């Protein structure tokens, strides 16, 4: 097995773990957390909040796997730079969507 394929498989497993976390959040009866080691905010609709958070995690995991596709090719290519910058932008966008839309919509006033 080539080094590039093994690297992509490890990358994809990481994305699949995030997708699994998203599915777990989606079906959770208790309020799901987003930030590590921080209690989630009090929300008015736990089911809606969990669905929104779960969908966000699943989308993040899928896009993470997609951004890993250039690993299969030459690691010195420009596409690797796009992967790195893409994941950086994806992470910041995910945090922004959570704070500006999900938390804002479901937080108890």
């Amino acid at each position: 097995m080539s080094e590039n394929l093994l690297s992509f498989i490890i990358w994809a497993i990481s994305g699949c773990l995030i997708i699994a976390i998203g599915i777990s959040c989606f079906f959770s009866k208790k309020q799901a957390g987003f930030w590590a080691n921080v209690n989630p905010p009090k929300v008015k609709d736990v089911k809606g909040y969990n669905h929104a958070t779960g969908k966000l995690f699943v989308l993040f995991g899928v896009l993470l796997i997609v951004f890993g596709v250039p690993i299969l090719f030459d690691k010195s290519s420009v596409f690797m730079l796009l992967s790195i910058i893409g994941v950086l932008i994806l992470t910041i966008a995910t945090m922004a969507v959570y704070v500006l839309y999900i938390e804002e919509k479901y937080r108890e006033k």
Side-chain angles (χ1 to χ4, degrees), residues 3-40:
E3 179 182 323
N4 291 358
L5 181 60
L6 183 61
S7 299
F8 178 73
I9 289 172
I10 293 169
W11 183 284
I13 288 171
S14 300
C16 289
L17 288 174
I18 294 173
I19 292 171
I21 291 170
I23 293 170
S24 173
C25 289
F26 190 87
F27 292 109
S28 179
K29 302 288 185 216
K30 297 188 313 184
Q31 185 177 347
F34 182 80
W35 304 107
N37 300 321
V38 175
N39 292 330

Side-chain angles (χ1 to χ4, degrees), residues 30-94:
K30 297 188 313 184
Q31 185 177 347
F34 182 80
W35 304 107
N37 300 321
V38 175
N39 292 330
K42 295 204 184 295
V43 295
K44 51 189 170 194
D45 177 17
V46 173
K47 186 175 181 179
Y49 172 82
N50 284 349
H51 283 184
T53 305
K55 288 176 189 176
L56 185 64
F57 274 121
V58 169
L59 180 64
F60 181 87
V62 168
L63 291 175
L64 184 69
I65 293 170
V66 169
F67 280 125
V69 170
I71 292 174
L72 292 170
F73 307 108
D74 185 24
K75 288 188 179 177
S76 63
S77 71
V78 173
F79 296 113
M80 281 303 296
L81 184 61
L82 292 176
S83 280
I84 295 167
I85 293 172
V87 170
L88 175 68
I89 292 170
L90 175 65
T91 304
I92 293 170
T94 301

